Amino acid sequence: MDEAERKMAFLFSVRSRGVTDRRVLQAMEAIDRGAFVRGTFATRAYDDTPLPISCGQTISQPSVVGLMTQALDVQPRHKVLEVGTGSGYQAAILSQLARRVYTIDRHRRLVAAAQEVFDALGLSNITAIVGDGSRGLEAQAPFDRILVTAAAEDPPGPLLAQLAVGGIMVLPVGQSDQVQQLIKVTRTDRGYEYEDLRPVRFVPLVEGLGQD
Ligand code: SAH
């Protein structure tokens, strides 16, 4: 398969797993996953599979990225927070759909590498920050949308508080060594509504900063 065929197959597999939103598919066509996967796994960038990145973390499976993005229902005027920058791939997809994306990771090394890719691709509406995302990003709150790409046992209180009224948060919840549930939290003027989406498996949300 040449490059173009691989990309066609990539989009086909994402679509066949339920990603049907036209804007999400366009974003996934525009953002080359190959730019976010380095070293020995680069040849598998267009497979629908999670892959290892540095700091013992993973870049999520493309169809899961698509399904989470679709569930988030991002609109062009939105300010979005992503917790768990990792490779930066998910943030790059969000940057195509939102006005502004803040993405935060506890590993300095991952944030630096992701920032390099954002610069190389000219994605100027992403702000990447080193920090403990379980506390959210108070200075920029409230957010129209929040996406968490690491699993907590329960939705972190600060993230619930930093979600705008009318806002949506999508996150995996459950014990880190088991299959987790992807859930959608909608904040209304009367409180929070919870909806189960699908079983998923993510690395754990860990409090505090990483070593590197
Ligand atoms: N969205 C990423 C994949 C994320 S993997 C991508 O598109 O590639 C999960 C990430 O969450 C890891 O990089 C991990 O370092 C980060 N993470 C875990 N706990 C965190 C916390 N409390 N605050 C910020 N980032 C955290």
Side-chain angles (χ1 to χ4, degrees):
M1 259 198 266
D2 67 18
E3 185 85 355
E5 283 171 331
R6 267 206 297 278
K7 287 185 181 172
M8 286 280 285
F10 172 80
L11 285 171
F12 181 81
S13 71
V14 165
R15 255 202 309 267
S16 69
R17 285 176 194 254
V19 182
T20 53
D21 185 294
R22 191 177 47 83
R23 294 179 64 236
V24 175
L25 287 168
Q26 278 171 356
M28 295 188 80
E29 190 171 358
I31 299 296
D32 182 1
R33 190 172 185 247
F36 297 88
V37 183
R38 293 172 187 208
T40 44
F41 293 98
T43 54
R44 295 178 60 194
Y46 307 111
D47 293 355
D48 191 26
T49 177
L51 294 170
I53 55 175
S54 61
C55 304
Q57 306 301 317
T58 52
I59 175 171
S60 310
Q61 185 176 348
S63 56
V64 172
V65 169
L67 289 167
M68 288 176 87
T69 308
Q70 188 165 280
L72 205 59
D73 188 26
V74 182
Q75 300 298 322
R77 296 187 58 80
H78 282 167
K79 179 165 69 169
V80 180
L81 174 66
E82 182 201 20
V83 175
T85 310
S87 68
Y89 178 62
Q90 171 75 74
I93 301 287
L94 293 170
S95 79
Q96 303 296 291
L97 303 167
R99 178 172 56 85
R100 177 106 231 138
V101 177
Y102 293 89
T103 182
I104 180 164
D105 204 289
R106 57 191 292 278
H107 287 288
R108 191 173 301 280
R109 188 139 68 97
L110 292 174
V111 170
Q115 184 66 62
E116 272 180 30
V117 185
F118 300 152
D119 291 344
L121 299 180
L123 304 176
S124 55
N125 63 338
I126 307 175
T127 305
I129 297 156
V130 180
D132 179 355
S134 65
R135 298 199 213 147
L137 191 60
E138 183 67 51
Q140 300 297 338
F143 296 96
D144 303 298
R145 298 291 186 262
I146 299 178
L147 184 58
V148 186
T149 62
E153 283 194 27
D154 296 299
L159 296 181
L160 290 170
Q162 291 173 28
L163 189 60
V165 173
I168 296 173
M169 170 158 66
V170 171
L171 76 164
V173 289
Q175 306 267 318
S176 62
D177 53 349
Q178 294 169 13
V179 171
Q180 305 125 8
Q181 194 54 235
L182 188 67
I183 67 166
K184 174 177 170 176
V185 183
T186 306
R187 183 170 190 176
T188 71
D189 49 11
R190 280 171 298 146
Y192 298 89
E193 289 168 6
Y194 296 83
E195 185 190 333
D196 280 351
L197 299 179
R198 63 197 315 263
V200 284
R201 188 159 196 162
F202 277 85
V203 297
L205 189 73
V206 179
E207 287 185 14
L209 289 186
Q211 296 296 323
D212 52 359

